[in-house]
Amino acid sequence: MNQPLQSLEQLLDRVSQSTRDNDQVSVGMVIESVGSRSFGPMLMLIGITLFSPLSGLPGMSIFMGSFVLLIAVQILIGRKQFWLPHFILNRSIGRRKLQKALHWLNKPARSIDRVLKPRLTFLVRNGGSYGIASLCIVVGLCMPFMELVPFSSSAAGLALLALGLALVVHDGLLVLLALGAFSATLILIVANIL
């Protein structure tokens, strides 16, 4: 359980193993099972949400931007695990539903793990995580402006998904791809506003 995670498949296995003895699994239990790698999955979740059609809902960019800022600030202050209010941490789901979702995610995780691997790790480990947090702060602060430009929050979601994956599998190449995607989004926003 103390070994560092190296892949998405290991992440899913750890969540599955640590929650198998409970009938109800809370958000807090899942975050605790992931430990210091909980920032990556949270960024991935926000990225997937923004990349989905939900990003078109009014106010979604601002709402998700505030979560991105919450994550980034916690990385910058050196927290080892993502903090959420107790009313969110206490929310729970049935173990069977969670196991079914984890089983469904195993195949895509295996496919992603074949492509991603630890490389350019200086971009994700130690000081590199502060660079990722700084980029997340810029993304979070730009989110309100993304309400004005259609589909720009989807591109930012893709960048956040890449950053989350980079933190989980230590693939610095994803950080560079996220930086490119967000730079293109920023240019698009500036061009449409001016």
Side-chain angles (χ1 to χ4, degrees):
M1 197 71 147
N2 293 329
Q3 291 183 334
L5 299 170
Q6 297 293 326
S7 67
L8 287 176
E9 208 169 359
Q10 286 178 1
L11 176 85
L12 296 175
D13 286 344
R14 182 169 291 180
V15 171
S16 179
Q17 292 296 321
S18 66
T19 58
R20 68 177 173 202
D21 295 331
N22 303 338
D23 291 333
Q24 289 291 114
V25 179
S26 69
V27 172
M29 291 168 67
V30 172
I31 289 177
E32 189 176 319
S33 70
V34 176
S36 63
R37 300 302 274 282
S38 60
F39 295 106
M42 292 305 290
L43 281 176
M44 288 169 55
L45 182 62
I46 293 170
I48 290 168
T49 303
L50 286 171
F51 194 64
S52 75
L54 290 173
S55 66
L57 293 174
M60 182 59 81
S61 293
I62 296 169
F63 180 70
M64 287 296 158
S66 62
F67 269 110
V68 171
L69 290 172
L70 180 64
I71 291 170
V73 167
Q74 290 184 56
I75 293 172
L76 285 175
I77 63 173
R79 285 191 59 89
K80 297 292 182 199
Q81 182 168 313
F82 185 62
W83 173 86
L84 282 171
H86 284 292
F87 72 92
I88 295 176
L89 289 174
N90 292 333
R91 295 292 230 183
S92 63
I93 184 175
R95 181 181 51 84
R96 286 186 182 179
K97 284 184 182 178
L98 178 65
Q99 293 293 340
K100 188 175 180 180
L102 293 173
H103 180 72
W104 183 83
L105 288 170
N106 263 331
K107 189 174 181 181
R110 197 172 301 121
S111 299
I112 291 169
D113 286 342
R114 281 191 209 116
V115 177
L116 303 180
K117 60 185 174 189
R119 57 187 151 196
L120 302 173
T121 55
F122 67 93
L123 292 171
V124 257
R125 292 191 175 152
N126 304 322
S129 63
Y130 295 116
I132 290 173
S134 301
L135 181 58
C136 287
I137 286 175
V138 173
V139 172
L141 292 173
C142 290
M143 287 288 199
F145 301 104
M146 293 181 192
E147 292 282 337
L148 306 172
V149 182
F151 304 110
S152 60
S153 60
S154 293
L158 189 60
L160 291 169
L161 177 59
L163 289 173
L165 273 170
L167 286 172
V168 172
V169 298
H170 289 151
D171 193 342
L173 183 60
L174 288 171
V175 176
L176 298 177
L177 292 173
L179 185 58
F182 181 66
S183 298
T185 304
L186 199 56
I187 291 168
L188 179 68
I189 292 169
V190 171
N192 279 296
I193 291 177
L194 298 179

